[in-house]
Amino acid sequence: MLEAVPVPERRLASYSKVAGEEDLNYLRRASEPLRGARLLHVNSTAYGGGVAELLVTQVALLRDLGLEAEWRVVGGSPFFFQTTKTIHNALQGKAVNWKPEMAAAYWERSFAEAEALRDTFDFVVVHDPQPAGILAALVRTKGKRPPGRWIWRCHVDTSAPDPTVWSFLRPLVECYDAVVFTLPRFIPPDLSSPRTAVIPPSIDPLSPKNVPIDPSLKTALVRRFGLDPNRPLLLQVSRFDPWKDPVGVIRAFRLIKEDVPDAVLALVGALAHDDPEAHAVLREVEGERAGDPDILVLTNLQGVGHVEVNAFQRHARVVLQKSIKEGFGLTVSEALWKGRPVVGGNVGGIRIQIQDGVTGYLVSSVEECAARAVELLKDEETAREMGRKGREHVRRNFLTLRELGQFLDLLLALAEEAI
């Protein structure tokens, strides 16, 4: 319960070439009043998802700025994680069969985690629905709010949540001093909160997934998994989740092959312990693939880590992110940062990353996805120009120091309210 996650050291000064001294100095000034503050991030997994990738960088940089930052993850039974996956899907608009035993399992785990949280912090940041009930459980147990300022950060699209599940979760979220969403349109209109903030996620340009790699290493890694580096590669990097529509990607690829017969597709994703649906989706993907040798399906269980993903993204001619719902989609910014044009679903946070017709294309169907990908495969000059503009768009808007600055601003505002 509430297992601590070790975080490798990172130095703010390392980002000077990417961001410039002005941005670094802003973060140093903004963090000065917060030096020595105890801050805890809580989520549900230490690997295999975008939140975990964000926290590796953010916690390390907060420490370098003088805060006593920690990161812990909640535990739970398989049924608890089935329940929280149901909540996740419901928040994104899927009609679900919410059962009393799900609510009971959620409260049981929330009380257990609240009991395990014996320390006090100046700030506690709770990510997504899995641990969202901890604060309410603490209030019920102790009869009063715990010390510190509490923030709930939602990383999914909550623009049209299932009413039954949202009515269960909303009172728990309203206990927090602030709630953070990725886009303004994700804020449910009936949510009552003392403070609401909009902070899109970001990528770390110095992480193993995003740092430049030697071209020979890139080619060697692509070959290692059986891909011919001379054939045009289409790539989607995502969790195996129905909202990412990997089956739709395969169907789009079959249309692409009609125009570009030598194309190959790689679907690359991680399997995380807090996502019990992933293995079922992976089986569905394999069924749709039907043994096609031009479709490669890879996971972290086959040795695909951040460096391998980096190589695949840099080698791909076109990156796909054909989501049908998306909170943000870090893999879009990752690909754009590497100068790859992206064809993405016209949904959620993808819309603020892909400038349609400028850094890639926004699409709403299998057929449109295929047609746009074929355009980019056949027009390499346009693809390169989109990639160049995409990298600049990410540099200005979606790198880690921008997010860290917005987060520090929120902490300062909450600290001032507490005085």
Side-chain angles (χ1 to χ4, degrees):
M1 291 187 291
L2 284 175
E3 181 181 355
V5 181
V7 175
E9 183 181 89
R10 273 180 169 78
R11 295 295 184 189
L12 187 67
S14 303
Y15 293 80
S16 60
K17 290 184 179 179
V18 177
E21 285 299 324
E22 183 179 345
D23 289 348
L24 271 59
N25 288 333
Y26 174 80
L27 294 176
R28 293 180 181 118
R29 289 194 302 271
S31 62
E32 186 61 33
L34 298 166
R35 291 183 67 85
R38 295 197 69 199
L39 183 147
L40 174 66
H41 281 281
V42 181
N43 78 316
S44 61
T45 183
Y47 67 91
V51 176
E53 292 182 22
L54 291 171
L55 293 182
V56 167
T57 298
Q58 298 287 321
V59 170
L61 291 179
L62 287 168
R63 289 175 178 174
D64 191 47
L65 287 166
L67 284 77
E68 296 181 18
E70 299 181 38
W71 173 16
R72 301 181 192 176
V73 295
V74 298
S77 66
F79 184 67
F80 169 74
F81 285 116
Q82 290 171 12
T83 295
T84 57
K85 185 64 178 184
T86 298
I87 295 173
H88 170 97
N89 288 333
L91 290 179
Q92 295 215 140
K94 182 178 179 180
V96 300
N97 184 17
W98 182 247
K99 300 176 181 178
E101 54 265 36
M102 291 178 172
Y106 187 87
W107 274 116
E108 180 183 8
R109 175 50 49 183
S110 297
F111 279 113
E113 302 296 358
E115 173 63 25
L117 187 62
R118 300 175 185 272
D119 325 38
T120 59
F121 295 88
D122 298 294
F123 302 97
V124 180
V125 187
V126 177
H127 295 263
D128 283 332
Q130 296 93 333
I134 291 176
L135 179 56
L138 282 168
V139 172
R140 289 193 182 189
T141 300
K142 299 180 181 298
K144 62 180 181 180
R145 287 178 61 86
R149 309 296 278 171
W150 286 64
I151 301 165
W152 184 62
R153 182 163 185 179
C154 182
H155 295 271
V156 301
D157 179 348
T158 49
S159 56
D162 174 86
T164 301
V165 173
W166 177 237
S167 67
F168 170 79
L169 193 68
R170 180 171 57 81
L172 311 186
V173 172
E174 290 178 341
C175 293
Y176 286 79
D177 300 292
V179 292
V180 179
F181 295 89
T182 297
L183 295 176
R185 64 183 299 270
F186 289 175
I187 304 171
D190 61 344
L191 176 65
S192 175
S193 173
R195 179 179 289 273
T196 302
V198 174
I199 305 177
S202 63
I203 64 167
D204 181 354
L206 302 187
S207 73
K209 188 188 278 190
N210 296 311
V211 73
I213 59 175
D214 187 272
S216 62
L217 174 61
K218 177 194 73 173
T219 302
L221 289 171
V222 168
R223 286 186 183 277
R224 174 185 161 195
F225 292 98
L227 282 175
D228 180 349
N230 296 312
R231 297 178 66 181
L233 172 66
L234 296 114
L235 171 72
Q236 178 157 305
V237 179
S238 285
R239 289 180 296 107
F240 289 98
D241 183 313
W243 299 109
K244 313 294 184 181
D245 196 21
V247 169
V249 171
I250 293 175
R251 291 171 182 170
F253 175 67
R254 294 211 165 101
L255 295 177
I256 292 166
K257 291 277 283 184
E258 295 175 7
D259 286 289
V260 188
D262 62 338
V264 292
L265 170 68
L267 293 169
V268 179
L271 299 170
H273 81 278
D274 66 337
D275 188 357
E277 198 174 24
H279 289 278
V281 174
L282 182 57
R283 288 192 296 271
E284 186 181 3
V285 166
E286 289 289 4
E288 185 69 27
R289 173 178 174 259
D292 188 334
D294 289 339
I295 302 174
L296 192 64
V297 179
L298 296 171
T299 76
N300 51 320
L301 301 182
Q302 294 153 290
V304 179
H306 291 328
V307 175
E308 289 77 13
V309 168
N310 191 342
F312 272 88
Q313 289 174 327
R314 291 183 185 279
H315 184 71
R317 289 271 299 278
V318 178
V319 172
L320 308 175
Q321 189 55 60
K322 197 197 160 302
S323 302
I324 53 180
K325 280 270 188 166
E326 189 65 76
F328 185 71
L330 289 171
T331 56
V332 174
S333 280
E334 290 167 7
L336 293 174
W337 179 244
K338 299 173 180 75
R340 302 295 117 190
V342 182
V343 177
N346 189 11
V347 294
I350 295 177
R351 290 175 175 151
I352 62 172
Q353 297 179 79
I354 296 178
Q355 298 168 301
D356 193 31
V358 178
T359 65
Y361 291 113
L362 295 170
V363 299
S364 300
S365 69
V366 165
E367 293 76 15
E368 194 177 2
C369 177
R372 290 304 197 181
V374 168
E375 285 182 36
L376 292 169
L377 289 171
K378 290 188 172 183
D379 188 346
E380 293 186 37
E381 184 176 346
T382 295
R384 280 194 297 271
E385 180 63 11
M386 284 186 165
R388 185 190 66 78
K389 291 177 178 176
R391 179 178 170 86
E392 178 60 18
H393 182 54
V394 172
R395 188 192 66 79
R396 287 186 280 105
N397 297 286
F398 301 119
L399 296 184
T400 192
L401 298 192
R402 183 272 310 159
E403 181 187 7
L404 184 58
Q406 288 184 279
F407 182 64
L408 289 172
D409 290 342
L410 175 60
L411 296 184
L412 286 168
L414 290 172
E416 289 172 0
E417 288 176 359
I419 296 174

